[in-house]
Amino acid sequence: MNTAENKMISKSYSHGLLIPGMLVYGIIFVLPTVVSFYFSLTRWDLLHVEFIGLDNFKTFLTQPSTRTAIPHTLVYAIITCVCKVILALAIAVILSNEKIKSRTYLKSLIYSSCILSTVAVGITFTQLMHPSKGLINQALRVLGLPTYKFLTDKNMALGSVMFVDVWRGLGTAMVIYLSGLGAISKDYYEAAAIDGATGWKQFTKITLPLLVPSINSVLTLSLIGGLKSYELLWTMTSGGPGYSTEILGTVIYKLFARSSYGLATAGNVLMFIIVCAIIFPLNSYISKKTVEL
Amino acid sequence: MVKRRSVWSILGEVLAILVTGITHWVVYYFAIINACKTRAEAAQLNLKLPKEWAFIDNLKYVWNFNNRVFLRSFFNSVTITVLSIIMVIFVASMAAWIMQRRGGFITKWSDKIVLAGLTTPLAVVPTFWVLRTLHLNNTIPGIVLVEVALIFPFSCMLYKDFCNNLPREIDEAAIIDGCGPLQLFFRVAFPLMKPITSAIIILRSLVVYNDFTNPMYFLQGSKSSTVQLTIYLFQSTFVTDYGRLFTAVLLVCIPPVLLFLLLNKQIMEGVTMGAVKG
């Protein structure tokens, strides 16, 4: 009986259907990831390989053009992620209130920025943040406030791009929260109201604990997105002024463009290590906090 | 139980509408109105209505610029998007179907490797090297394969969750009626996966169309460049010609905006699919 059943399974669910997908994924994604560990230890021009040990990593972590990339990447990813997690939660909680008549409109409008291409958003905001005639500075001038060189001041550029990143990414986080909030049964709130718990207490004792899965996915998605990000920074500042907005994504591209393939691969391996070192412990920590319904 | 709305609640709503008006509508209006201006007027970068409406002129200029490079790259973008999505739908649904339906060593490990791809960043240089070895760098088939490999893990996960809820009794009935593995999948299982297939088509096509990083690496300086690369280059070509620059920006945004206006509800629902694991 058992062998007949096994035979039926292997016949009806043939491994053949698994092959096309795994083949593309294996050759284009898995194989490069695996060999990247070896090539990061070499001087490499795509044809000739020379093993040089950990030299690439030493260079990457000491050269002025690359050594700031890791701290910048961490700052960029963590700050944009925290802003999205908190701001989107606040917006979603407000919009989940059924008394707000324009909630569908507001939800669509806030989400609309997420469907636009990052390059288009980057180009538009670069002009809005123009140091002398940009609209933001025009508005500040009208209000009698000091103007800023948003993208050309070393101390402001990274922050300005982070602002645009949050502007663009907020919608996705908000939509995820809204569906999480929609799944929380109204009974909990009614029961809490009878027991005398109001507003803030309901939020911290009911909403937040039951929303942990949504918070987890917003956190993970935006953190991974931030660590891998590249497009917005490349469009708005290209890593400048100086090296003040270099992150791993821009540095790897620049090294690739000037054919330093081994060094670029080392940067990629560092990105891989950072992503894994942050995401896996974080996920296991949060899954412990998840409340069973 | 129905309470009257407090003044604060109404005030809050008005405030929310005003704030989003500034953060979103002003940004969109800025891009649109400046696309309608001549070079001299657009250089002011303000929100005033144009004295001379130049949108049609700008459109003609962008359209014909550099042997219609915009049109060509737009066509490439659409081709890449369509091919990648069709391919990923087939390979991911088939793979997920097998991974969900049968156990064993091969499926278990495939599953783990695919899951790892959800977080792992693409190793760009070795990927470039692989494509070059296969003579696929700077070609449309090459970038299509990269896009497929990148969307594969997420699509697989969605399909697998969906197959989990498809009752096995359906398969058994089909097998008894004499369906082979291919018939079982294409005639029985795949049609049932329609809801998740459409979610993947809608959301992933936005991702592929808007992708900038991968064409930047894998379609360098080639004729098959995409529309995102083209507007990126326009930024330095039309450096002070903001009217034409914003015209190009608007043109690039037309397909996603149309999709958003037509399928607003499906897009919003699609975003949450797979975002929260049950």
Side-chain angles (χ1 to χ4, degrees):
Chain A
M1 181 63 200
N2 216 354
T3 44
E5 207 171 282
N6 276 340
K7 215 173 162 189
M8 187 210 73
I9 285 182
S10 61
K11 224 181 99 186
S12 309
Y13 306 112
S14 156
H15 277 134
L17 292 173
L18 201 60
I19 291 171
M22 292 309 286
L23 207 63
V24 174
Y25 179 66
I27 294 174
I28 308 290
F29 193 94
V30 180
L31 173 73
T33 308
V34 174
V35 297
S36 71
F37 289 94
Y38 168 70
F39 285 123
S40 67
L41 304 171
T42 64
R43 190 174 292 126
W44 182 34
D45 64 358
L46 296 180
L47 296 171
H48 309 284
V49 184
E50 184 195 338
F51 190 83
I52 53 168
L54 290 170
D55 278 6
N56 282 331
F57 291 96
K58 273 182 211 147
T59 317
F60 198 95
L61 295 172
T62 51
Q63 237 177 35
S65 58
T66 51
R67 67 165 181 232
T68 53
I70 290 178
H72 285 162
T73 308
L74 290 175
V75 167
Y76 187 92
I78 291 170
I79 294 182
T80 51
C81 170
V82 169
C83 287
K84 284 177 199 168
V85 166
I86 294 172
L87 258 178
L89 181 60
I91 295 172
V93 168
I94 293 168
L95 291 187
S96 68
N97 185 343
E98 275 157 21
K99 284 181 202 154
I100 294 186
K101 293 207 177 67
S102 55
R103 49 206 278 263
T104 320
Y105 159 78
L106 286 171
K107 188 175 143 184
S108 296
L109 184 62
I110 294 171
Y111 184 71
S112 64
S113 56
C114 301
I115 56 144
L116 303 172
S117 93
T118 318
V119 187
V121 169
I123 292 175
T124 309
F125 270 93
T126 308
Q127 304 316 329
L128 286 169
M129 291 177 168
H130 194 285
S132 56
K133 53 192 179 180
L135 199 65
I136 299 177
N137 276 333
Q138 286 182 33
L140 289 174
R141 230 173 267 136
V142 169
L143 296 171
L145 296 167
T147 60
Y148 298 98
K149 294 186 164 102
F150 293 104
L151 296 172
T152 45
D153 181 333
K154 276 188 181 180
N155 301 316
M156 287 199 78
L158 197 64
S160 306
V161 181
M162 288 196 281
F163 168 81
V164 182
D165 192 312
V166 173
W167 179 85
R168 188 179 176 274
L170 212 51
T172 311
M174 173 199 71
V175 172
I176 293 172
Y177 280 136
L178 277 173
S179 89
L181 287 168
I184 300 177
S185 161
K186 294 257 180 318
D187 300 351
Y188 292 113
Y189 294 104
E190 277 164 22
I194 290 167
D195 289 348
T198 49
W200 182 248
K201 207 156 196 184
Q202 286 190 3
F203 176 72
T204 51
K205 301 283 175 192
I206 303 171
T207 317
L208 267 187
L210 290 176
L211 214 55
V212 168
S214 306
I215 297 174
N216 183 24
S217 55
V218 170
L219 195 71
T220 320
L221 283 176
S222 44
L223 203 54
I224 296 176
L227 290 170
K228 291 185 195 172
S229 71
Y230 159 83
E231 308 190 341
L232 200 59
L233 267 165
W234 188 252
T235 325
M236 295 184 72
T237 64
S238 310
Y243 301 126
S244 62
T245 57
E246 290 289 15
I247 56 166
L248 282 170
T250 57
V251 166
I252 294 169
Y253 181 75
K254 282 181 182 172
L255 293 170
F256 169 80
R258 62 162 213 240
S259 309
S260 304
Y261 297 119
L263 199 52
T265 313
N268 230 150
V269 168
L270 286 171
M271 190 196 272
F272 177 89
I273 293 169
I274 291 172
V275 171
C276 293
I278 293 179
I279 297 299
F280 292 117
L282 188 71
N283 264 336
S284 67
Y285 172 75
I286 293 177
S287 57
K288 273 186 213 141
K289 297 222 143 189
T290 307
V291 185
E292 289 296 327
L293 276 178
Chain B
M1 275 304 277
V2 181
K3 277 187 254 170
R4 274 191 54 208
R5 283 184 75 182
S6 65
V7 184
W8 288 112
S9 154
I10 297 171
L11 222 63
E13 186 171 354
V14 172
L15 192 72
I17 293 173
L18 284 176
V19 170
T20 50
I22 294 172
T23 54
H24 288 74
W25 280 120
V26 170
V27 174
Y28 300 152
Y29 174 79
F30 169 78
I32 296 168
I33 205 71
N34 278 293
C36 298
K37 292 181 184 175
T38 58
R39 188 187 188 120
E41 273 189 79
Q44 308 283 323
L45 289 175
N46 60 25
L47 296 175
K48 285 184 190 135
L49 285 175
K51 289 191 190 86
E52 187 188 333
W53 291 82
F55 182 68
I56 303 293
D57 280 345
N58 289 339
L59 196 63
K60 276 185 194 155
Y61 186 84
V62 171
W63 192 265
N64 290 320
F65 182 76
N66 196 3
N67 285 327
R68 300 201 170 155
V69 66
F70 190 86
L71 198 63
R72 270 185 286 132
S73 60
F74 182 78
F75 191 70
N76 287 331
S77 280
V78 173
T79 315
I80 292 167
T81 309
V82 171
L83 290 178
S84 311
I85 298 300
I86 292 176
M87 195 164 162
V88 85
I89 288 294
F90 279 105
V91 298
S93 60
M94 289 195 295
W97 168 248
I98 300 301
M99 280 184 212
Q100 201 278 320
R101 279 302 197 251
R102 73 183 277 179
F105 180 79
I106 298 177
T107 22
K108 211 179 97 193
W109 277 96
S110 310
D111 195 25
K112 279 189 178 165
I113 295 168
V114 172
L115 266 181
L118 286 173
T119 40
T120 319
L122 179 72
V124 274
V125 187
T127 307
F128 183 80
W129 171 70
V130 168
L131 288 178
R132 217 177 87 116
T133 317
L134 299 169
H135 299 286
L136 287 173
N137 62 323
N138 299 342
T139 65
I140 287 185
I143 188 82
V144 167
L145 287 178
V146 173
E147 298 287 3
V148 170
L150 282 174
I151 323 170
F152 182 72
F154 189 71
S155 313
C156 243
M157 190 186 80
L158 290 182
Y159 272 121
K160 239 173 48 201
D161 285 351
F162 194 82
C163 291
N164 221 348
N165 298 324
L166 290 180
R168 275 172 189 267
E169 283 78 17
I170 302 175
D171 312 7
E172 279 158 19
I175 293 166
I176 289 166
D177 286 349
C179 274
L182 284 177
Q183 271 180 314
L184 175 63
F185 178 76
F186 285 105
R187 290 262 179 91
V188 181
F190 188 68
L192 290 172
M193 299 177 191
K194 211 172 132 192
I196 200 75
T197 303
S198 58
I200 293 176
I201 293 178
I202 297 168
L203 276 149
R204 296 302 115 181
S205 60
L206 281 175
V207 171
V208 178
Y209 176 82
N210 284 337
D211 189 14
F212 174 64
T213 313
N214 297 303
M216 189 94 176
Y217 277 103
F218 307 115
L219 283 178
Q220 276 197 325
S222 66
K223 277 185 192 160
S224 35
S225 95
T226 70
V227 79
Q228 306 296 340
L229 290 176
T230 306
I231 58 161
Y232 173 74
L233 292 177
F234 277 3
Q235 198 184 13
S236 42
T237 319
F238 298 167
V239 66
T240 53
D241 205 345
Y242 300 124
R244 284 159 184 170
L245 182 62
F246 282 117
T247 307
V249 165
L250 290 189
L251 288 177
V252 169
C253 293
I254 288 175
V257 169
L258 279 182
L259 205 66
F260 184 63
L261 293 177
L262 291 173
L263 301 170
N264 184 301
K265 202 168 154 250
Q266 286 87 333
I267 290 180
M268 302 268 207
E269 277 167 7
V271 173
T272 43
M273 279 185 193
V276 184
K277 280 183 220 162

